[in-house]
Amino acid sequence: MSAVVAGKPRVGLGRRILEAMSSSHRARPRHLASSPFKPDPEQVIEEYVVDDRVSHDAHGLGRVIAVDSLAVTVDFGDRNLRVPSPFSKMSKL
C-alpha cells in the first residue's frame, strides 16, 4: 500500500502497522485476589527420554530418538519429526 503525501510517496505504512500489532507471545495476565474465577493451573510439560514410546495426535505412534532442551525428535517410521515443547499433541505410552 503506498500513498502520496505532500508530493512524497509513503511506502509500507500498512506493513509497519501490522508488524506492530501482531504479537503471538502475550504475557499471562496477573490473577487478582478479588477475582471470583480460579486461576488457570500451571501447565505441566512432560519430560521424555530416548526410546520412550509416544503417541501423537496427527502423526500416530513413534519412538523418541533425541532430546534437547526445547524439543524432542521422534521417529514415526516413515519420517523423523522434531516436536517443540510444550508437547500438547503428544503423550507418553
Side-chain angles (χ1 to χ4, degrees):
M1 169 184 255
S2 57
V4 177
V5 178
K8 297 180 182 175
R10 294 181 65 183
V11 179
L13 179 63
R15 180 178 171 88
R16 195 168 30 143
I17 291 172
L18 289 176
E19 286 175 358
M21 291 176 63
S22 62
S23 175
S24 61
H25 301 291
R26 293 189 310 174
R28 246 172 104 145
R30 187 177 63 129
H31 180 72
L32 300 175
S34 61
S35 173
F37 303 103
K38 292 182 180 179
D40 292 332
E42 290 292 324
Q43 185 177 12
V44 177
I45 299 175
E46 200 163 357
E47 294 183 17
Y48 295 96
V49 294
V50 175
D51 288 334
D52 275 347
R53 299 282 297 171
V54 295
S55 175
H56 192 280
D57 291 349
H59 302 287
L61 298 175
R63 183 179 302 276
V64 175
I65 58 174
V67 178
D68 61 43
S69 62
L70 300 176
V72 296
T73 304
V74 181
D75 178 15
F76 288 106
D78 58 342
R79 67 186 166 282
N80 293 344
L81 182 70
R82 186 174 184 269
V83 182
S85 175
F87 312 104
S88 60
K89 295 184 177 185
M90 192 167 69
S91 59
K92 194 182 293 189
L93 297 178

